[in-house]
Amino acid sequence: GAVVSQHPSWVICKSGTSVKIECRSLDFQATTMFWYRQFPKQSLMLMATSNEGSKATYEQGVEKDKFLINHASLTLSTLTVTSAHPEDSSFYICSARDQEQLQETQYFGPGTRLLVL
Amino acid sequence: DAKTTQPPSMDCAEGRAANLPCNHSTISGNEYVYWYRQIHSQGPQYIIHGLKNNETNEMASLIITEDRKSSTLILPHATLRDTAVYYCIVIKDFGNEKLTFGTGTRLTIIP
């Protein structure tokens, strides 16, 4: 149980285009999902907290108009990188919390590697 | 959330027990100790968590000192597939708390 998937696993796009990344909880419902970014040789940095049915909460320094988050159902959150630039190239990882569990265990997706040319 | 301190790297021989320490001297009474690991180019994987009692599951054991200021993750029989960065995170229970990843310990299992 507690499987989180991401799609696509990797994507290459041209500068100026938008890229959508999906995060799905496969066998549990998640009212809250989290989006992280990881640059090479660095740790994961939280970008935003995605709440089902409401607006996402962004961390300081993360542009909400550039990184659009939609959490329309209890099993799906999407992150859209708008007008992508080479500096947005990174490893994007989502996590989801099983709302049936009382404790704060988060389960992570396999990540999406984005390369902007 | 309380800050954690971990050694940046460790080596362990294959088949031996890997003991990964973590200091969390400012931990408060309602904060849990969580361990995750990240194998290269993958998302983090949950390992184990505990409050004050020692815990064991199919992956590892977690030993928390009586004063809760430090803990040790034990991988009883390390394999090459256990090579990863291990993160010790302290977090309050409930409330959709955010996980803050430090730099972790890069564990290398030596054949």
Side-chain angles (χ1 to χ4, degrees):
Chain A
V3 177
V4 176
S5 71
Q6 283 185 241
H7 178 80
S9 56
W10 60 269
V11 57
I12 302 173
C13 70
K14 292 182 180 179
S15 186
T17 60
S18 295
V19 175
K20 180 186 284 188
I21 303 170
E22 293 185 348
C23 176
R24 293 181 185 273
S25 56
L26 298 185
D27 50 2
F28 65 98
Q29 294 184 326
T31 53
T32 302
M33 293 183 174
F34 302 86
W35 286 96
Y36 296 81
R37 181 167 53 181
Q38 185 175 33
F39 292 107
K41 299 188 186 301
Q42 296 185 23
S43 190
L44 284 80
M45 295 297 295
L46 180 66
M47 299 175 66
T49 302
S50 169
N51 300 296
E52 187 267 337
S54 65
K55 291 183 179 180
T57 304
Y58 291 81
E59 294 301 298
Q60 190 172 10
V62 178
E63 300 176 56
K64 62 179 170 60
D65 294 330
K66 180 171 180 62
F67 299 99
L68 301 179
I69 291 173
N70 184 278
H71 192 157
S73 78
L74 288 173
T75 59
L76 173 65
S77 175
T78 60
L79 168 69
T80 301
V81 182
T82 63
S83 186
H85 291 286
E87 56 265 31
D88 298 322
S89 298
S90 188
F91 192 44
Y92 292 86
I93 308 168
C94 71
S95 72
R97 177 177 171 267
D98 186 343
Q99 68 176 37
E100 296 297 321
Q101 288 192 12
L102 292 179
Q103 293 177 356
E104 199 52 51
T105 305
Q106 292 181 26
Y107 299 95
F108 286 80
T112 296
R113 194 163 298 282
L114 170 63
L115 177 61
V116 184
L117 301 177
Chain B
D1 296 326
K3 179 178 168 57
T4 62
T5 304
Q6 299 176 253
S9 64
M10 290 180 63
D11 292 340
C12 177
E14 186 179 16
R16 305 295 293 267
N19 297 282
L20 293 94
C22 179
N23 286 322
H24 31 79
S25 59
T26 61
I27 193 170
S28 58
N30 62 346
E31 289 183 316
Y32 283 69
V33 180
Y34 277 76
W35 283 84
Y36 284 81
R37 73 180 181 184
Q38 186 178 25
I39 295 170
H40 183 63
S41 294
Q42 298 182 24
Q45 177 188 24
Y46 165 77
I47 302 173
I48 198 167
H49 74 280
L51 182 63
K52 53 184 177 181
N53 296 324
N54 297 337
E55 302 288 344
T56 295
N57 63 20
E58 65 278 5
M59 290 183 67
S61 294
L62 174 60
I63 309 297
I64 302 174
T65 58
E66 193 169 340
D67 63 7
R68 302 186 68 237
K69 293 185 177 183
S70 66
S71 60
T72 301
L73 177 74
I74 301 172
L75 307 178
H77 304 286
T79 70
L80 297 179
R81 286 177 292 183
D82 292 321
T83 293
V85 178
Y86 287 76
Y87 296 98
C88 167
I89 301 170
V90 169
I91 187 168
K92 291 184 177 64
D93 196 13
F94 306 113
N96 299 321
E97 288 288 335
K98 301 178 289 188
L99 293 180
T100 301
F101 286 82
T103 53
T105 295
R106 182 172 298 278
L107 175 67
T108 302
I109 306 302
I110 310 296

